[in-house]
Amino acid sequence: MSTPAPLQGVVPALRFDSLPPLSLYVHLPWCVRKCPYCDFNSYEARGALPDLEYVAALLRDLRGELPFAQGRAIETIFLGGGTPSLFSGTAIARLLDGLRADASIAPNAEITLEANPGAVDAARFAAFREAGVNRLSIGIQSFRDDKLRALGRVHSSAQTEAAVATARAAGFANVNLDVMYGLPGDDVGGAVADLERAVALAPEHISWYHLTLEPNTAFERRPPPLPDDDVVASIEEQGRALLAAHGYERYEISAYARRGRRCLHNVNYWQFGDYLGVGAGAHGKVTLLEAGEIARRAKTRNPRTYLQRAGRADATGEERVTTCAQAALELLMNALRLLDGTTVETFEARAGQPAAAIAAARAVAAARGWLGAEPDRLRATPAGLQRLNRLLELFA
Ligand SMILES: C[S@@+](CC[C@H](N)C(=O)[O-])C[C@H]1O[C@@H](n2cnc3c(N)ncnc32)[C@H](O)[C@@H]1O
Ligand code: SF4
Protein backbone atom coordinates (compact mmCIF):
# COMPACT_ATOMS: atom_id res chain seq x y z
CA MET A 1 0.00 0.00 0.00
CA SER A 2 1.26 3.52 -0.73
CA THR A 3 -0.02 6.89 0.43
CA PRO A 4 -2.37 8.56 -2.08
CA ALA A 5 -0.91 10.94 -4.66
CA PRO A 6 -2.50 14.34 -5.36
CA LEU A 7 -5.18 14.56 -8.05
CA GLN A 8 -3.85 15.76 -11.40
CA GLY A 9 -4.32 19.50 -11.91
CA VAL A 10 -5.77 20.16 -8.44
CA VAL A 11 -3.81 22.69 -6.40
CA PRO A 12 -4.03 21.69 -2.71
CA ALA A 13 -5.10 24.40 -0.27
CA LEU A 14 -2.58 23.15 2.28
CA ARG A 15 1.11 23.10 1.56
CA PHE A 16 3.67 21.14 3.54
CA ASP A 17 7.40 21.37 2.95
CA SER A 18 8.38 18.88 5.65
CA LEU A 19 6.84 16.23 7.87
CA PRO A 20 6.46 16.65 11.66
CA PRO A 21 7.79 14.09 14.17
CA LEU A 22 5.99 10.74 14.31
CA SER A 23 4.54 8.90 17.33
CA LEU A 24 2.63 5.64 17.71
CA TYR A 25 -0.46 5.09 19.88
CA VAL A 26 -1.42 1.50 20.70
CA HIS A 27 -4.84 0.89 22.29
CA LEU A 28 -5.39 -2.07 24.64
CA PRO A 29 -9.13 -1.97 25.40
CA TRP A 30 -9.78 -4.18 28.46
CA CYS A 31 -10.21 -3.26 32.14
CA VAL A 32 -11.06 -5.20 35.29
CA ARG A 33 -14.26 -3.18 35.56
CA LYS A 34 -15.75 -0.22 33.72
CA CYS A 35 -15.52 2.97 35.82
CA PRO A 36 -18.77 4.98 35.90
CA TYR A 37 -17.14 8.24 34.73
CA CYS A 38 -15.09 6.78 31.86
CA ASP A 39 -15.87 7.26 28.16
CA PHE A 40 -12.68 5.68 26.85
CA ASN A 41 -13.08 2.76 24.47
CA SER A 42 -12.70 0.23 27.26
CA TYR A 43 -14.53 -2.99 28.14
CA GLU A 44 -14.81 -5.14 31.22
CA ALA A 45 -12.64 -8.24 30.74
CA ARG A 46 -14.66 -11.44 31.07
CA GLY A 47 -12.43 -14.48 31.49
CA ALA A 48 -8.88 -14.73 30.17
CA LEU A 49 -7.76 -11.92 27.87
CA PRO A 50 -6.92 -12.94 24.31
CA ASP A 51 -3.71 -10.94 24.74
CA LEU A 52 -1.43 -12.84 22.33
CA GLU A 53 -4.14 -12.98 19.67
CA TYR A 54 -4.68 -9.24 20.13
CA VAL A 55 -0.95 -8.54 19.82
CA ALA A 56 -0.91 -10.42 16.50
CA ALA A 57 -3.83 -8.24 15.35
CA LEU A 58 -1.97 -5.07 16.43
CA LEU A 59 1.06 -6.08 14.37
CA ARG A 60 -1.11 -6.74 11.29
CA ASP A 61 -2.71 -3.34 11.83
CA LEU A 62 0.72 -1.69 12.13
CA ARG A 63 1.92 -3.15 8.83
CA GLY A 64 -1.00 -1.43 7.09
CA GLU A 65 -0.10 1.88 8.73
CA LEU A 66 3.62 1.88 7.95
CA PRO A 67 3.36 3.57 4.52
CA PHE A 68 2.01 6.59 6.41
CA ALA A 69 5.31 6.86 8.29
CA GLN A 70 6.73 8.09 4.95
CA GLY A 71 10.26 7.15 5.96
CA ARG A 72 10.21 8.56 9.49
CA ALA A 73 11.32 6.73 12.63
CA ILE A 74 8.78 6.50 15.47
CA GLU A 75 9.96 8.75 18.31
CA THR A 76 7.46 7.90 21.04
CA ILE A 77 5.12 4.98 21.74
CA PHE A 78 2.14 5.06 24.12
CA LEU A 79 0.43 1.82 25.19
CA GLY A 80 -2.89 3.18 26.45
CA GLY A 81 -6.26 1.86 27.34
CA GLY A 82 -8.17 0.44 28.87
CA THR A 83 -5.69 -1.08 31.26
CA PRO A 84 -2.57 -2.26 29.40
CA SER A 85 -1.09 -3.57 32.68
CA LEU A 86 -3.61 -6.43 32.42
CA PHE A 87 -1.58 -7.80 29.52
CA SER A 88 1.10 -10.38 30.37
CA GLY A 89 4.81 -9.53 30.20
CA THR A 90 5.09 -12.05 27.36
CA ALA A 91 2.40 -10.27 25.35
CA ILE A 92 3.96 -6.80 25.82
CA ALA A 93 7.42 -8.18 24.92
CA ARG A 94 6.03 -9.80 21.79
CA LEU A 95 4.32 -6.53 20.87
CA LEU A 96 7.43 -4.38 21.32
CA ASP A 97 9.68 -6.93 19.60
CA GLY A 98 7.23 -7.02 16.70
CA LEU A 99 7.12 -3.22 16.49
CA ARG A 100 10.92 -3.05 16.44
CA ALA A 101 11.13 -5.77 13.78
CA ASP A 102 8.59 -4.14 11.45
CA ALA A 103 8.99 -0.41 12.04
CA SER A 104 11.85 1.99 12.54
CA ILE A 105 11.83 3.03 16.21
CA ALA A 106 14.18 5.81 17.38
CA PRO A 107 16.88 4.36 19.69
CA ASN A 108 15.88 6.48 22.71
CA ALA A 109 12.15 6.38 22.07
CA GLU A 110 9.93 7.17 25.05
CA ILE A 111 7.75 4.08 25.57
CA THR A 112 4.89 4.58 28.05
CA LEU A 113 2.50 1.96 29.41
CA GLU A 114 -0.65 2.76 31.39
CA ALA A 115 -1.23 0.81 34.58
CA ASN A 116 -4.01 0.59 37.14
CA PRO A 117 -2.91 0.01 40.77
CA GLY A 118 -5.51 -2.78 40.94
CA ALA A 119 -3.67 -4.70 38.19
CA VAL A 120 -0.05 -4.72 39.37
CA ASP A 121 2.35 -7.58 39.88
CA ALA A 122 6.10 -7.31 40.46
CA ALA A 123 7.15 -9.94 37.91
CA ARG A 124 4.91 -8.38 35.30
CA PHE A 125 6.27 -4.86 35.89
CA ALA A 126 9.83 -6.23 35.64
CA ALA A 127 8.90 -7.94 32.37
CA PHE A 128 7.44 -4.68 30.98
CA ARG A 129 10.69 -2.88 31.81
CA GLU A 130 12.74 -5.71 30.31
CA ALA A 131 10.63 -5.55 27.14
CA GLY A 132 11.61 -1.89 26.68
CA VAL A 133 8.84 0.09 28.39
CA ASN A 134 10.64 3.05 30.00
CA ARG A 135 7.77 5.15 31.37
CA LEU A 136 4.83 4.04 33.50
CA SER A 137 1.61 6.01 33.88
CA ILE A 138 -0.37 4.85 36.89
CA GLY A 139 -4.05 5.80 37.27
CA ILE A 140 -4.29 6.41 41.02
CA GLN A 141 -7.10 9.07 40.99
CA SER A 142 -7.28 9.63 44.78
CA PHE A 143 -5.90 8.41 48.09
CA ARG A 144 -9.26 8.60 49.83
CA ASP A 145 -10.73 5.12 49.91
CA ASP A 146 -14.32 6.42 50.13
CA LYS A 147 -13.70 8.49 46.98
CA LEU A 148 -12.12 5.51 45.21
CA ARG A 149 -15.26 3.52 45.97
CA ALA A 150 -17.47 6.38 44.72
CA LEU A 151 -15.43 6.33 41.48
CA GLY A 152 -15.99 2.59 41.15
CA ARG A 153 -12.25 1.93 41.30
CA VAL A 154 -10.96 -1.58 41.88
CA HIS A 155 -8.01 -0.51 44.06
CA SER A 156 -7.32 1.04 47.47
CA SER A 157 -4.83 3.76 48.47
CA ALA A 158 -2.59 1.06 50.02
CA GLN A 159 -2.42 -0.64 46.60
CA THR A 160 -1.43 2.69 45.04
CA GLU A 161 1.58 3.06 47.34
CA ALA A 162 2.53 -0.56 46.64
CA ALA A 163 2.19 0.01 42.86
CA VAL A 164 4.62 2.93 42.88
CA ALA A 165 7.13 0.97 45.02
CA THR A 166 6.78 -1.98 42.61
CA ALA A 167 7.41 0.31 39.64
CA ARG A 168 10.58 1.69 41.23
CA ALA A 169 11.80 -1.79 42.19
CA ALA A 170 11.28 -2.90 38.59
CA GLY A 171 13.61 -0.10 37.46
CA PHE A 172 11.16 2.56 36.24
CA ALA A 173 12.85 5.96 36.57
CA ASN A 174 10.05 7.83 34.79
CA VAL A 175 6.64 7.51 36.43
CA ASN A 176 3.45 9.52 35.95
CA LEU A 177 0.53 9.49 38.37
CA ASP A 178 -3.00 10.36 37.13
CA VAL A 179 -4.94 12.15 39.89
CA MET A 180 -8.47 13.57 39.61
CA TYR A 181 -10.19 16.36 41.56
CA GLY A 182 -13.70 17.71 41.71
CA LEU A 183 -14.81 14.24 42.83
CA PRO A 184 -18.29 13.44 44.20
CA GLY A 185 -18.61 15.35 47.50
CA ASP A 186 -15.09 16.79 47.10
CA ASP A 187 -13.69 19.53 49.33
CA VAL A 188 -10.58 21.71 49.14
CA GLY A 189 -8.73 20.06 52.05
CA GLY A 190 -9.32 16.54 50.77
CA ALA A 191 -8.36 17.30 47.17
CA VAL A 192 -5.16 19.08 48.18
CA ALA A 193 -4.29 16.26 50.61
CA ASP A 194 -4.58 13.83 47.66
CA LEU A 195 -1.98 15.86 45.79
CA GLU A 196 0.27 16.00 48.85
CA ARG A 197 0.28 12.22 49.05
CA ALA A 198 0.94 11.96 45.32
CA VAL A 199 3.88 14.37 45.60
CA ALA A 200 5.25 12.39 48.58
CA LEU A 201 5.67 9.42 46.22
CA ALA A 202 8.04 11.62 44.13
CA PRO A 203 6.75 10.81 40.62
CA GLU A 204 8.47 12.56 37.70
CA HIS A 205 5.11 13.70 36.31
CA ILE A 206 1.58 14.28 37.57
CA SER A 207 -1.53 14.52 35.37
CA TRP A 208 -4.13 16.34 37.46
CA TYR A 209 -7.55 16.10 35.83
CA HIS A 210 -10.82 17.79 36.70
CA LEU A 211 -13.46 15.02 36.74
CA THR A 212 -15.91 15.67 33.91
CA LEU A 213 -19.31 14.10 33.28
CA GLU A 214 -18.90 12.49 29.87
CA PRO A 215 -21.74 11.53 27.52
CA ASN A 216 -22.89 7.90 27.64
CA THR A 217 -21.39 7.13 31.04
CA ALA A 218 -23.11 5.91 34.21
CA PHE A 219 -22.25 9.25 35.90
CA GLU A 220 -24.00 11.16 33.12
CA ARG A 221 -27.14 9.04 33.56
CA ARG A 222 -27.10 9.35 37.37
CA PRO A 223 -24.91 12.37 38.21
CA PRO A 224 -23.23 12.25 41.62
CA PRO A 225 -23.17 15.42 43.79
CA LEU A 226 -20.22 17.40 42.44
CA PRO A 227 -18.60 20.41 44.15
CA ASP A 228 -19.61 23.86 42.90
CA ASP A 229 -17.42 26.17 40.85
CA ASP A 230 -15.92 28.19 43.68
CA VAL A 231 -14.80 25.03 45.50
CA VAL A 232 -13.23 23.80 42.25
CA ALA A 233 -11.52 27.20 41.74
CA SER A 234 -10.01 27.02 45.27
CA ILE A 235 -8.86 23.44 44.70
CA GLU A 236 -7.16 24.52 41.48
CA GLU A 237 -5.48 27.54 43.03
CA GLN A 238 -4.13 25.67 46.04
CA GLY A 239 -3.28 22.52 44.11
CA ARG A 240 -1.29 24.39 41.45
CA ALA A 241 0.62 26.29 44.15
CA LEU A 242 1.45 23.02 45.91
CA LEU A 243 2.66 21.38 42.70
CA ALA A 244 4.79 24.42 41.80
CA ALA A 245 6.31 24.47 45.30
CA HIS A 246 7.41 20.85 44.80
CA GLY A 247 9.03 21.48 41.42
CA TYR A 248 6.20 20.30 39.17
CA GLU A 249 5.89 22.81 36.34
CA ARG A 250 2.49 23.12 34.73
CA TYR A 251 3.05 22.88 30.96
CA GLU A 252 -0.42 21.94 29.74
CA ILE A 253 -3.92 22.40 31.15
CA SER A 254 -3.68 19.19 33.23
CA ALA A 255 0.01 18.18 32.96
CA TYR A 256 2.76 18.94 35.49
CA ALA A 257 6.36 17.75 35.20
CA ARG A 258 9.70 17.87 36.89
CA ARG A 259 12.45 19.41 34.74
CA GLY A 260 13.09 17.36 31.59
CA ARG A 261 10.20 14.98 32.34
CA ARG A 262 7.38 16.26 30.15
CA CYS A 263 5.49 13.50 28.38
CA LEU A 264 7.09 13.65 24.93
CA HIS A 265 4.29 11.59 23.40
CA ASN A 266 1.55 13.96 24.53
CA VAL A 267 3.67 17.00 23.67
CA ASN A 268 3.85 15.67 20.11
CA TYR A 269 0.02 15.52 19.99
CA TRP A 270 -0.27 19.04 21.39
CA GLN A 271 2.33 20.37 18.94
CA PHE A 272 0.23 18.87 16.13
CA GLY A 273 2.82 16.25 15.29
CA ASP A 274 1.84 13.07 13.46
CA TYR A 275 0.90 9.73 15.01
CA LEU A 276 -0.10 6.32 13.84
CA GLY A 277 -2.90 4.65 15.80
CA VAL A 278 -3.27 0.88 16.11
CA GLY A 279 -5.76 -1.09 18.19
CA ALA A 280 -9.54 -1.10 18.70
CA GLY A 281 -10.86 2.45 18.33
CA ALA A 282 -7.37 3.96 17.94
CA HIS A 283 -7.00 7.23 16.07
CA GLY A 284 -4.10 8.40 13.91
CA LYS A 285 -3.23 11.70 12.26
CA VAL A 286 -0.79 11.90 9.38
CA THR A 287 0.39 14.70 7.14
CA LEU A 288 0.39 13.74 3.46
CA LEU A 289 3.21 15.74 1.95
CA GLU A 290 2.42 15.31 -1.72
CA ALA A 291 -1.37 15.38 -1.48
CA GLY A 292 -1.31 18.52 0.67
CA GLU A 293 -3.80 16.97 3.10
CA ILE A 294 -3.98 15.63 6.64
CA ALA A 295 -5.44 12.12 7.02
CA ARG A 296 -7.35 11.23 10.18
CA ARG A 297 -7.62 7.47 10.49
CA ALA A 298 -9.75 5.56 13.03
CA LYS A 299 -9.96 1.83 13.73
CA THR A 300 -13.13 -0.12 14.39
CA ARG A 301 -14.00 0.19 18.10
CA ASN A 302 -15.29 -3.22 19.10
CA PRO A 303 -12.42 -5.49 20.22
CA ARG A 304 -14.03 -8.65 18.76
CA THR A 305 -14.60 -7.02 15.37
CA TYR A 306 -11.11 -5.56 15.53
CA LEU A 307 -9.57 -8.99 16.16
CA GLN A 308 -11.19 -10.25 12.96
CA ARG A 309 -10.51 -7.25 10.75
CA ALA A 310 -7.17 -5.80 11.90
CA GLY A 311 -4.90 -5.24 8.91
CA ARG A 312 -7.83 -5.21 6.45
CA ALA A 313 -9.22 -2.10 4.80
CA ASP A 314 -12.62 -2.58 6.50
CA ALA A 315 -11.04 -2.06 9.93
CA THR A 316 -10.25 1.59 9.17
CA GLY A 317 -12.26 4.74 8.52
CA GLU A 318 -10.54 7.80 7.12
CA GLU A 319 -11.31 11.48 6.84
CA ARG A 320 -9.20 14.16 5.21
CA VAL A 321 -8.50 17.68 6.43
CA THR A 322 -8.20 19.71 3.25
CA THR A 323 -8.98 23.33 4.12
CA CYS A 324 -6.81 25.98 5.76
CA ALA A 325 -9.53 26.91 8.26
CA GLN A 326 -9.95 23.32 9.46
CA ALA A 327 -6.21 22.65 9.71
CA ALA A 328 -5.61 25.92 11.60
CA LEU A 329 -8.41 25.22 14.08
CA GLU A 330 -7.26 21.65 14.71
CA LEU A 331 -3.70 22.80 15.35
CA LEU A 332 -4.83 25.54 17.74
CA MET A 333 -7.20 23.20 19.62
CA ASN A 334 -4.10 21.24 20.55
CA ALA A 335 -1.33 23.82 20.78
CA LEU A 336 -3.18 26.40 22.86
CA ARG A 337 -3.56 23.80 25.64
CA LEU A 338 0.21 24.14 26.16
CA LEU A 339 1.21 26.96 28.48
CA ASP A 340 4.00 27.88 26.03
CA GLY A 341 1.67 27.51 23.05
CA THR A 342 3.58 27.05 19.82
CA THR A 343 5.74 29.07 17.45
CA VAL A 344 4.43 30.72 14.31
CA GLU A 345 7.03 28.67 12.45
CA THR A 346 5.50 25.42 13.76
CA PHE A 347 2.01 26.69 12.93
CA GLU A 348 3.01 27.40 9.33
CA ALA A 349 4.83 24.09 8.86
CA ARG A 350 2.19 21.86 10.46
CA ALA A 351 -1.06 23.63 9.54
CA GLY A 352 0.29 23.98 5.97
CA GLN A 353 -0.42 27.71 5.52
CA PRO A 354 1.01 31.16 6.23
CA ALA A 355 0.19 32.72 9.60
CA ALA A 356 -1.41 35.59 7.66
CA ALA A 357 -4.41 33.27 7.19
CA ILE A 358 -5.32 33.65 10.90
CA ALA A 359 -4.16 37.25 11.38
CA ALA A 360 -7.65 38.72 11.77
CA ALA A 361 -8.80 36.24 14.43
CA ARG A 362 -5.45 36.56 16.16
CA ALA A 363 -5.87 40.33 16.42
CA VAL A 364 -9.37 39.97 17.92
CA ALA A 365 -8.14 37.37 20.44
CA ALA A 366 -5.19 39.59 21.43
CA ALA A 367 -7.47 42.63 21.80
CA ARG A 368 -9.65 40.63 24.22
CA GLY A 369 -6.59 39.71 26.23
CA TRP A 370 -6.94 35.98 25.46
CA LEU A 371 -3.90 35.57 23.23
CA GLY A 372 -0.41 37.01 23.79
CA ALA A 373 0.77 39.77 21.46
CA GLU A 374 4.13 38.09 20.67
CA PRO A 375 4.73 38.22 16.89
CA ASP A 376 6.45 34.83 16.64
CA ARG A 377 4.42 32.77 19.13
CA LEU A 378 0.80 31.69 19.52
CA ARG A 379 0.14 31.42 23.22
CA ALA A 380 -3.02 31.72 25.30
CA THR A 381 -2.87 34.19 28.20
CA PRO A 382 -4.09 32.91 31.61
CA ALA A 383 -7.47 34.52 30.78
CA GLY A 384 -7.50 32.74 27.40
CA LEU A 385 -6.66 29.40 28.99
CA GLN A 386 -9.60 29.85 31.40
CA ARG A 387 -12.00 30.16 28.44
CA LEU A 388 -10.23 28.10 25.82
CA ASN A 389 -13.42 27.14 23.98
CA ARG A 390 -14.43 30.77 23.49
CA LEU A 391 -10.92 31.61 22.36
CA LEU A 392 -11.00 28.78 19.81
CA GLU A 393 -14.41 29.88 18.51
CA LEU A 394 -12.68 33.01 17.19
CA PHE A 395 -10.73 30.76 14.82
CA ALA A 396 -13.68 28.56 13.78
C1 LIG B 1 -7.00 5.30 30.30
S1 LIG B 1 -7.06 5.94 31.91
C2 LIG B 1 -5.53 5.43 32.71
C3 LIG B 1 -5.21 3.96 32.97
C4 LIG B 1 -6.24 3.11 33.67
N1 LIG B 1 -7.28 2.80 32.73
C5 LIG B 1 -6.80 3.72 34.90
O1 LIG B 1 -7.90 4.29 34.83
O2 LIG B 1 -6.15 3.60 35.94
C6 LIG B 1 -6.65 7.63 31.66
C7 LIG B 1 -6.93 8.63 32.75
O3 LIG B 1 -7.92 9.54 32.34
C8 LIG B 1 -8.53 10.12 33.48
N2 LIG B 1 -9.98 10.18 33.23
C9 LIG B 1 -10.76 9.21 32.71
N3 LIG B 1 -12.05 9.63 32.64
C10 LIG B 1 -12.08 10.90 33.11
C11 LIG B 1 -13.10 11.88 33.32
N4 LIG B 1 -14.39 11.63 33.01
N5 LIG B 1 -12.75 13.09 33.81
C12 LIG B 1 -11.46 13.36 34.12
N6 LIG B 1 -10.45 12.48 33.96
C13 LIG B 1 -10.75 11.27 33.47
C14 LIG B 1 -8.18 9.27 34.67
O4 LIG B 1 -7.34 9.99 35.55
C15 LIG B 1 -7.45 8.10 34.05
O5 LIG B 1 -6.41 7.65 34.86
S1 SF4 C 1 -9.75 1.60 34.45
FE1 SF4 C 1 -9.28 3.47 33.24
S2 SF4 C 1 -9.85 3.00 31.10
FE2 SF4 C 1 -10.73 1.40 32.44
S3 SF4 C 1 -12.81 2.05 32.76
FE3 SF4 C 1 -11.58 2.86 34.49
S4 SF4 C 1 -10.84 4.92 33.83
FE4 SF4 C 1 -11.64 3.85 32.03
Side-chain angles (χ1 to χ4, degrees):
M1 190 177 26
S2 64
T3 56
L7 291 175
Q8 286 282 313
V10 176
V11 181
L14 305 178
R15 194 197 137 119
F16 301 104
D17 296 326
S18 62
L19 290 169
L22 183 69
S23 292
L24 170 67
Y25 177 74
V26 182
H27 192 74
L28 309 176
W30 289 285
C31 295
V32 174
R33 195 160 77 201
K34 182 79 184 177
C35 302
Y37 55 87
C38 175
D39 77 335
F40 287 77
N41 187 38
S42 60
Y43 303 84
E44 193 166 308
R46 302 212 167 90
L49 284 188
D51 57 357
L52 293 175
E53 196 191 334
Y54 190 78
V55 165
L58 289 171
L59 294 174
R60 291 199 301 278
D61 190 356
L62 176 77
R63 279 175 220 123
E65 290 296 316
L66 284 178
F68 292 93
Q70 299 164 86
R72 287 167 291 180
I74 291 167
E75 296 185 24
T76 68
I77 301 176
F78 197 99
L79 311 182
T83 304
S85 58
L86 287 178
F87 273 46
S88 65
T90 308
I92 296 297
R94 196 173 289 181
L95 171 62
L96 292 179
D97 287 348
L99 295 179
R100 281 186 285 257
D102 289 346
S104 165
I105 314 283
N108 295 324
E110 175 190 89
I111 306 181
T112 304
L113 178 140
E114 281 188 328
N116 179 321
V120 168
D121 150 322
R124 192 175 289 200
F125 268 23
F128 294 160
R129 183 74 196 89
E130 178 75 10
V133 176
N134 51 27
R135 185 172 183 273
L136 264 197
S137 177
I138 309 179
I140 69 170
Q141 321 310 348
S142 173
F143 286 92
R144 292 166 284 172
D145 286 331
D146 60 325
K147 298 288 183 239
L148 290 171
R149 278 191 295 278
L151 292 171
R153 300 292 294 183
V154 295
H155 65 93
S156 65
S157 56
Q159 281 174 295
T160 293
E161 313 227 319
V164 175
T166 305
R168 295 301 191 198
F172 285 100
N174 199 1
V175 171
N176 168 60
L177 302 181
D178 284 339
V179 183
M180 294 197 296
Y181 64 93
L183 306 180
D186 215 354
D187 60 280
V188 180
V192 173
D194 268 351
L195 271 187
E196 274 166 357
R197 285 189 64 182
V199 162
L201 294 173
E204 282 64 35
H205 191 287
I206 295 181
S207 296
W208 193 42
Y209 297 115
H210 184 189
L211 176 70
T212 49
L213 293 187
E214 299 293 339
N216 305 315
T217 60
F219 270 11
E220 194 217 20
R221 287 188 287 278
R222 259 168 290 106
L226 295 179
D228 49 35
D229 290 352
D230 48 337
V231 172
V232 168
S234 297
I235 292 174
E236 287 176 343
E237 192 186 322
Q238 294 189 30
R240 285 176 196 151
L242 177 103
L243 288 166
H246 286 86
Y248 294 93
E249 189 188 1
R250 184 181 183 214
Y251 67 98
E252 187 264 350
I253 289 180
S254 309
Y256 299 77
R258 287 261 168 91
R259 187 181 299 278
R261 295 299 197 169
R262 294 182 179 192
C263 175
L264 302 178
H265 184 86
N266 287 339
V267 168
N268 192 40
Y269 288 159
W270 294 320
Q271 290 281 12
F272 213 48
D274 280 0
Y275 49 96
L276 308 176
V278 299
H283 290 254
K285 172 247 168 194
V286 272
T287 306
L288 302 176
L289 208 53
E290 286 183 34
E293 294 178 347
I294 295 168
R296 289 206 166 275
R297 296 166 60 75
K299 302 296 154 62
T300 187
R301 286 171 65 82
N302 181 287
R304 296 276 147 210
T305 316
Y306 176 81
L307 279 169
Q308 287 161 5
R309 296 190 188 166
R312 293 187 348 213
D314 62 353
T316 308
E318 192 182 287
E319 287 176 3
R320 294 289 175 92
V321 176
T322 56
T323 67
C324 286
Q326 198 184 353
L329 181 63
E330 291 196 10
L331 181 143
L332 293 171
M333 283 169 67
N334 285 283
L336 294 183
R337 298 179 63 90
L338 289 165
L339 272 81
D340 286 342
T342 194
T343 61
V344 164
E345 192 184 346
T346 301
F347 173 89
E348 294 189 331
R350 300 187 185 177
Q353 58 197 286
I358 55 163
R362 222 177 141 189
V364 174
R368 292 194 187 171
W370 298 348
L371 202 66
E374 306 142 284
D376 54 359
R377 187 166 281 279
L378 293 153
R379 175 181 1 215
T381 60
L385 213 55
Q386 280 282 331
R387 42 181 80 66
L388 191 52
N389 288 340
R390 290 180 62 199
L391 166 55
L392 290 168
E393 277 167 19
L394 299 177
F395 293 89

